[in-house]
Amino acid sequence: MDKIYYFDNNATSRVAPEVTEEMRPFFGELYGNPSSMHFFGGGVQGHLDLARERVAALLGASPEEIIFTSCGTESDSTALWSAARAFPDKKHIITTKVEHPAVMNVAKFLESQGWRVTQLPVDEHGRLDLNDLKTALTPDTALVSMMWANNETGVIFPVEEAARITRAKGVLFHTDAVQAAGKVPINLKDAKIDMLSISGHKLHAPKGIGAFYLKKGSRFMPFMMGGHQESGRRAGTENVPYIVGLGKAAELAAANLKKENTYVKGLRDRLETGLAAAIKNIRINGSGAERLPNTVNISFEYVEGESILIMLSEKGICASSGSACTSGSLEPSHVIRSMSVPHTFAQGSIRFSLSVYNTGEEVDFVLKEMPAIIERLRAISPFADGKPLFGIDACQTHNH
Ligand code: PLP
């Protein structure tokens, strides 16, 4: 493939060259253990401190509120397990119907262990009604976990307001900000958010590094126990090169926030309006809600998302759907289903997610290729006569 047209940044993003450069010495000469007493380890500790400050700055937090983890999934697990163990007398958790599996599957497991789990619904635009949260909170609630921005649609939840409502009832609030960090401003200083998750590989750091924000004074039980690293809140020798990389990526993300909302949003809007003008019978999922500047989720009526993705891939274009099936029978993702997208559209849902590395020329290439792809697929679709596209067989969802 001569050129890769990469529009799958919510799945993972390219490591910024500045990040690689910053990490390089820690694979070579700077191999000390930051916990060591000697000068060599101590020298490395200074770089960890800097990374913590940079991540804290991106989130409007204090450095001592940042705990490094191995990924967004670990950060999410940390939040849910902490709440479950810190409040042994409480047995209720509130999440939403559109959470990433990193939250949803932990909640499901807790449910199998006798917890009550409330999943707040969303409307057709993917929006929450915070009255549902108010109604759901009970004296038995240990935690509310609500994502900041949805990975499939980019829809942003009013987490600061939700956290205020939750705090007023004395309940802990966690937000999965894996897709929000670096794309929308986050300022935790005055927010009532107790815990927050981020992941390096969504913001141009490598895969396998994340961070967890724990508000000073919030009740907490560590997920990993052992040594005294991260002030006893996450044991295990620190992954120094990756932490340094995440720190650099956080610094770049903070500097690029404006670009995200001008340049990247401009490209996303050009893609979205271009597709809407060129192709009939499409829906922009979440367009009635506040959304991330980089994400567009589109449903094409009477076509199947997987087929579109395969044909785009043949042209070098990387996009994604919310679901991946093993058996040839497709079910729309839980996010699209929760938004009650009509059946004839739902299976044809795909996501383009952009970054600062995309260009206008790349967007124009997609705009040139896409109409013919949809036309070809609709021409061979046996379902365009209005029959349902697929049965509702169970299928494995695979969400990024
Ligand atoms: N939460 C959301 C919203 C995500 O999009 C993802 C990754 O796709 C995760 C959590 C998991 O992050 P990680 O891949 O770092 O485990």
Side-chain angles (χ1 to χ4, degrees), residues 71-73 76 100 102 147 151 176 178-179 199 201-202 399-400:
C71 57
T73 300
D76 286 345
H100 189 274
M147 67 200 322
N151 45 303
D176 174 341
V178 164
Q179 296 293 346
S199 170
H201 72 110
K202 312 293 183 176
N399 308 72
H400 305 288

Side-chain angles (χ1 to χ4, degrees), residues 177-368:
V178 164
Q179 296 293 346
K183 295 172 192 155
V184 293
I186 295 180
N187 189 355
L188 296 171
K189 187 167 171 286
D190 298 320
K192 306 296 180 204
I193 294 169
D194 296 286
M195 297 177 280
L196 173 144
S197 308
I198 68 166
S199 170
H201 72 110
K202 312 293 183 176
L203 45 90
H204 307 294
K207 297 155 195 61
I209 183 71
F212 180 72
Y213 160 86
L214 176 65
K215 197 172 205 62
K216 207 166 164 224
S218 294
R219 207 150 147 181
F220 179 70
M221 289 281 279
F223 183 54
M224 285 175 50
M225 298 182 195
H228 52 78
Q229 294 89 354
E230 301 296 290
S231 308
R233 296 169 303 178
R234 197 275 188 184
T237 302
E238 296 90 344
N239 185 353
V240 176
Y242 281 56
I243 291 173
V244 167
L246 177 59
K248 185 65 188 174
E251 184 191 58
L252 291 172
N256 276 336
L257 254 186
K258 209 166 155 227
K259 205 168 172 188
E260 201 55 65
N261 275 285
T262 49
Y263 176 73
V264 179
K265 183 172 184 300
L267 291 182
R268 192 279 308 268
D269 290 348
R270 176 157 149 190
L271 178 64
E272 189 172 306
T273 45
L275 290 175
I279 304 169
K280 287 203 181 67
N281 299 343
I282 71 169
R283 283 171 64 103
I284 310 288
N285 297 312
S287 60
E290 199 191 342
R291 276 182 301 157
L292 291 176
N294 80 318
T295 307
V296 54
N297 187 301
I298 315 180
S299 296
F300 298 88
E301 194 173 28
Y302 297 132
V303 285
E304 181 220 303
E306 302 281 311
S307 307
I308 306 172
L309 295 177
I310 291 165
M311 291 178 77
L312 285 172
S313 183
E314 282 165 5
K315 302 278 179 193
I317 301 169
C318 307
S320 142
S321 76
S323 67
C325 290
T326 46
S327 64
S329 73
L330 285 178
E331 191 183 358
S333 79
H334 68 291
V335 176
I336 296 301
R337 275 182 285 139
S338 300
M339 292 167 70
S340 311
V341 174
H343 203 65
T344 55
F345 283 90
Q347 276 97 352
S349 305
I350 66 166
R351 173 190 75 192
F352 292 93
S353 47
L354 289 74
S355 84
V356 288
Y357 294 112
N358 285 115
T359 64
E361 176 253 313
E362 290 174 344
V363 167
D364 291 343
F365 183 72
V366 176
L367 291 175
K368 180 165 86 63

Side-chain angles (χ1 to χ4, degrees), residues 149-162:
N150 188 270
N151 45 303
E152 290 187 35
T153 58
V155 169
I156 294 171
F157 283 158
V159 285
E160 283 148 315
E161 177 57 16

Side-chain angles (χ1 to χ4, degrees), residues 160-176:
E160 283 148 315
E161 177 57 16
R164 272 192 290 277
I165 293 168
T166 304
R167 171 69 64 84
K169 297 284 179 191
V171 175
L172 285 184
F173 188 91
H174 164 250
T175 182
D176 174 341

